[in-house]
């Protein structure tokens, strides 16, 4: 019987983390289950640092707040953890220490709120005997097996508002306005916000772009008397035959994404200015997509996900990820989520092994964009 549970929030933050934490804790409280939160994701699990979420009333007044009241970590792969030993950097599998902490303090289930990397580690803990339940988080919307991740809707909404604002300044100054969005190796944010924000062009990682096609689209608009254009570029977009634009890299070992993408928006703006003769400006949206208050949609989705996760724990259905499948709340095995990336401690991110969900060419978003004449760069 489940009596004591803990939550960890891991990976880049999103709006909605707190709503999930609150829903898990409220459901736990109702069933007299103790509920704790590990501090800073898998780092807290390793250091055995956690707080009592129900006893401290920490979950009061957090539904609308961005960030995570228990922190999060973007650098912790405890299966290949970066440590300094006698001035030397070495990578160690410290997962057994985490397992010992969970057993020692008697947690019956750990909820892992995170994206593909987080759920990969959750699955690795599960095969080693830990009761885990995952909740799919990321603004990128690229977790396998679910229609949507929490945080994504807020990011799209922020990008759409930015596009509305860029529209008026583009029109006033007869400029091309480029908006670089986040999304890593998946173009969901760029494509959906391009549709919602009435953009003329959307460049996404799944469709390597030909800059001449973008120029054609802009010139077509000029012929119609429209001397401004709006171009959305996903940070992972790349030209045909070219590669992704990397801002910098870090070294936290395998299993976490060490690449910081960025810069393609500027690149596209410069090229368009040169090729069209129109002034072009880039705006890189950055971390505002992740911070601040969640949309009503994300508050509801996060609350549904959190409540479902705790109910799965009460039913003792572990090793699963809460999902939305064709609009219905459900769960799938974490094995399905990791796909062929079976090896314990294996890498996530933009690798052959990872199993992220990219925009497919037959998706409604692609079809809709094409149907209304948004140029996808091909
Ligand atoms: O995965 C979420 C995300 O915000 C991506 O869209 C972005 O590329 C990345 O995280 C940025 O990571 P960091 O927080 O490490 O800079």
């Amino acid at each position: 019987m489940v009596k004591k549970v803990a939550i960890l929030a891991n990976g880049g933050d999103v709006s909605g983390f707190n709503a999930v934490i609150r829903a898990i804790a409220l459901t736990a409280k109702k069933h007299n289950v103790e509920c704790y939160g590990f501090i800073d994701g898998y780092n807290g699990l390793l250091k055995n640092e956690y707080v009592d979420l129900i006893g401290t009333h920490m979950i009061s007044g957090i539904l609308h707040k961005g960030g995570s009241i228990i922190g999060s970590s973007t650098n912790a792969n405890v299966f290949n953890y970066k440590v300094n030993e006698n001035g030397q950097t070495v990578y160690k599998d410290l997962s057994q220490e985490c397992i010992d902490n969970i057993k020692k303090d008697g947690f019956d289930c750990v909820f892992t709120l995170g994206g593909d990397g987080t759920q990969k580690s959750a699955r690795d803990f599960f095969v080693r005997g830990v009761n885990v339940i995952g909740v799919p988080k990321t603004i990128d919307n690229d977790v396998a097996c679910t229609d949507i991740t929490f945080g994504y809707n807020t990011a799209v909404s922020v990008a759409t508002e930015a596009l509305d604002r860029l529209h008026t300044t583009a029109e006033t100054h007869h400029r091309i306005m480029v908006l670089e969005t986040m999304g890593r190796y998946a173009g969901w944010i760029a494509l959906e916000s391009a549709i919602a924000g009435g953009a003329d062009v959307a460049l996404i990682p799944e469709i390597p772009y030909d800059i001449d096609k973008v120029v054609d689209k802009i010139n077509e608009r000029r012929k119609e008397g429209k001397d401004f254009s709006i171009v959305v570029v996903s940070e992972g977009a790349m030209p045909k035959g070219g590669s992704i634009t990397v801002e910098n890299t870090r070294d936290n070992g395998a299993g976490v994404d060490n690449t910081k993408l960025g810069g393609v928006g500027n690149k596209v703006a410069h090229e368009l200015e040169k090729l069209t003769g129109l002034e072009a400006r880039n705006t890189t949206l950055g971390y505002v997509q992740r911070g601040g208050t969640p949309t009503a949609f994300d508050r509801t989705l996060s609350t549904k996900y959190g409540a479902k996760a705790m109910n799965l724990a009460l039913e003792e259905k572990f090793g699963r990820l809460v999902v939305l499948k064709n609009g219905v709340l459900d769960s799938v095995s974490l094995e399905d989520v990791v796909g062929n990336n079976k090896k314990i401690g294996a890498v996530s991110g933009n690798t052959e092994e990872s199993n992220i969900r990219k925009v497919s060419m037959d998706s409604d978003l692609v079809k809709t964009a094409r149907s209304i004449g948004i140029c996808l760069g091909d």
Side-chain angles (χ1 to χ4, degrees), residues 11-14 74 137-140 142 181-185 189 235 250 257 259-261 287 289-290:
D13 68 334
V14 302
T74 60
K137 167 239 67 165
T138 168
I139 62 164
D140 303 339
D142 62 355
T181 65
M182 282 186 164
R184 244 173 8 152
Y185 311 107
I189 301 174
E235 62 180 355
R250 60 182 182 184
D257 198 335
T259 313
K260 168 82 187 85
L261 303 183
Y287 295 86
Q289 291 159 99
R290 289 180 9 187

Side-chain angles (χ1 to χ4, degrees), residues 4 30 108 133 148 183 197 209 269-270 285 299 322 337 356 363:
K4 184 175 176 182
K30 208 173 145 217
D108 300 313
I133 292 171
I148 193 162
Y209 65 85
H270 285 141
L285 201 49
R299 293 181 203 191
V322 177
V337 179
I356 59 174
S363 75

Side-chain angles (χ1 to χ4, degrees), residues 348-364:
S348 64
N350 190 29
T351 58
E352 288 280 299
E353 298 94 329
S354 74
N355 193 36
I356 59 174
R357 188 177 75 102
K358 298 192 181 195
V359 175
S360 70
M361 293 309 106
D362 62 353
S363 75
D364 286 346

Side-chain angles (χ1 to χ4, degrees), residues 314-335:
L314 293 168
E315 291 163 27
E316 302 190 22
K317 289 187 179 151
F318 304 115
R320 303 194 67 78
L321 180 79
V322 177
V323 295
L324 204 66
K325 236 191 217 164
N326 302 322
V328 178
L329 205 54
D330 204 341
S331 73
V332 293
S333 156
L334 281 169
E335 283 299 336

Side-chain angles (χ1 to χ4, degrees), residues 220-250:
E220 213 177 273
R221 284 175 51 77
R222 284 162 100 182
K223 273 191 218 140
E224 292 168 0
K226 296 170 187 162
D227 52 6
F228 73 96
S229 289
I230 304 290
V231 178
V232 185
V233 182
S234 177
E235 62 180 355
M238 68 195 98
K240 265 186 188 149
S243 51
I244 225 158
T245 310
V246 173
E247 193 176 292
N248 56 49
T249 51
R250 60 182 182 184

